[in-house]
């Protein structure tokens, strides 16, 4: 009996998926989440509970196109865990199938969801779960090797991003997206933690959603009473409460 989590930001689609999953006799329990951030909180509880714990989740039925953290982002994050739940994508978009299977998805179901097609996806999940070895050894946490780099997970590979290459950081729920000149990376660290950790390295809060590296600020712009900065080719708004401090820091910057 599978324990499932269905994730979709569109309420009618989520309710339809929950109805179909509840009707499948191989599904023992199923919960719903309205976005990826909510789903991550639920999955974290499941992973802390362990594979045989009361909060455990065997499979996540996951939409792709969602605001903020999308389904592919969530699947990438799950590859960083030793024993993550399986993933079945349920989406209206055909274009992401290659990326989905690169992330080890069990199946890729297109909307509108047919009962027979979803049943086939559940069958594949059951087969894969049955083939998995029962390994409950605790995962050894990955620590930063030094304060100059931060580890990020991508497709099951850990890479180390130089802090000096990070132009700005964007809050996404309980996670943070690190922006560099070559792309971005999602890490499971709250923005407030990074603000404290990197204050001495020249990172300052400019908004409730953004930290910026002073070294990468190219312009400070004033327009009709609003303040913004140009960082790494992006223009970011500065909240009124942070504007004066930021301007003073920039003026004192070597």
């Amino acid at each position: 009996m599978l324990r499932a989590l269905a994730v979709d930001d569109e309420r009618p689609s989520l309710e339809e998926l929950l109805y179909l999953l509840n009707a499948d006799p191989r599904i023992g329990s199923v919960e719903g989440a309205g976005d990826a951030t909510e789903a991550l909180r639920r999955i974290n509880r499941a992973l802390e509970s362990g594979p045989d714990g009361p909060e455990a989740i065997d499979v996540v039925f996951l939409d792709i196109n969602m605001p903020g953290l999308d389904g592919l982002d969530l699947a990438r994050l799950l590859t960083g865990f030793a024993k993550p739940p399986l993933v079945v994508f349920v989406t209206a978009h055909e274009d992401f199938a290659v990326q989905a299977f690169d992330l080890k998805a069990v199946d890729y179901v297109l909307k509108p969801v047919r009962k027979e097609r979803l049943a086939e996806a559940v069958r594949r999940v059951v087969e894969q779960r049955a083939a998995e070895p029962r390994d409950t050894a605790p995962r050894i946490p990955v620590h930063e090797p030094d304060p100059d780099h931060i580890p990020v997970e991508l497709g099951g590979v850990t890479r180390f991003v130089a802090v000096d290459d990070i132009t700005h950081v964007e809050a996404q729920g309980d996670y943070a997206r690190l922006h560099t000149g070559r792309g971005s990376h999602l890490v499971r660290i709250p923005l407030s933690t990074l603000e404290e950790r990197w204050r001495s390295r020249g990172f300052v809060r400019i908004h409730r959603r953004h930290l910026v590296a002073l070294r990468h600020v190219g312009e400070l712009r004033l327009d009709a009473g609003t303040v913004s900065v140009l960082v790494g080719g992006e223009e970011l708004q500065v909240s009124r409460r942070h504007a004066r401090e930021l301007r003073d820091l920039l003026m004192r910057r070597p």
Side-chain angles (χ1 to χ4, degrees):
M1 300 291 283
L2 295 173
R3 297 155 295 185
L5 176 67
V7 188
D8 199 313
D9 65 309
E10 296 181 355
R11 191 67 194 176
S13 296
L14 179 59
E15 290 178 351
E16 175 70 10
L17 183 55
L18 290 171
Y19 172 79
L20 292 173
L21 289 171
N22 272 312
D24 193 306
R26 294 163 296 185
I27 302 292
S29 64
V30 58
E31 300 176 51
D35 58 52
T37 301
E38 180 186 350
L40 275 171
R41 295 193 186 100
R42 179 62 186 88
I43 292 168
N44 278 331
R45 296 204 308 272
L47 294 171
E48 290 170 0
S49 175
D52 298 315
E55 300 276 359
I57 295 173
D58 299 310
V59 57
V60 180
F61 292 84
L62 183 59
D63 189 20
I64 288 181
N65 189 19
M66 293 183 286
L69 193 68
D70 67 23
L72 293 172
D73 289 330
L74 176 55
R76 289 188 189 98
L77 285 170
L78 293 181
T79 63
F81 293 97
K83 192 72 172 178
L86 299 176
V87 173
V88 172
F89 284 103
V90 182
T91 176
H93 302 277
E94 299 180 2
D95 304 338
F96 301 107
V98 173
Q99 294 169 261
F101 288 115
D102 283 345
L103 292 168
K104 312 302 182 186
V106 176
D107 207 345
Y108 193 89
V109 179
L110 289 175
K111 297 178 181 178
V113 180
R114 293 183 295 108
K115 178 181 179 181
E116 296 78 12
R117 182 65 185 86
L118 188 62
E120 171 61 17
V122 173
R123 183 192 67 78
R124 294 181 184 184
V125 171
V126 170
E127 282 190 356
Q128 188 155 328
R129 287 286 296 171
E132 290 177 352
R134 298 297 292 173
D135 180 9
T136 58
R139 182 182 181 229
I140 299 174
V142 177
H143 298 285
E144 292 184 40
D146 61 66
D148 296 326
H149 295 81
I150 182 169
V152 300
E153 301 284 348
L154 184 61
V157 177
T158 301
R159 298 179 181 175
F160 297 92
V161 175
V163 175
D164 287 346
D165 290 341
I166 298 169
T167 59
H168 60 288
V169 186
E170 178 184 1
Q172 292 192 341
D174 295 331
Y175 290 70
R177 184 171 292 280
L178 312 177
H179 293 266
T180 72
R182 294 181 294 276
S184 67
H185 309 276
L186 201 65
V187 294
R188 192 172 47 167
I189 305 175
L191 191 69
S192 58
T193 299
L194 294 178
E195 179 184 12
E196 179 68 24
R197 184 185 299 179
W198 290 345
R199 182 176 292 119
S200 62
R201 302 184 67 97
F203 282 80
V204 297
R205 178 84 71 137
I206 65 166
H207 189 274
R208 62 183 179 83
R209 293 191 60 223
H210 289 112
L211 290 178
V212 299
L214 291 175
R215 71 178 69 84
H216 290 293
V217 175
E219 295 180 8
L220 178 68
R221 298 176 175 179
L222 305 174
D223 182 21
T226 63
V227 182
S228 62
V229 288
L230 190 65
V231 184
E234 289 190 51
E235 185 174 1
L236 305 176
Q237 295 298 311
V238 181
S239 67
R240 189 181 300 274
R241 62 177 294 204
H242 294 105
R244 182 181 295 276
E245 178 189 8
L246 176 64
R247 185 174 56 187
D248 291 344
L249 288 170
L250 290 173
M251 294 298 291
R252 298 198 304 267
R253 182 179 61 175

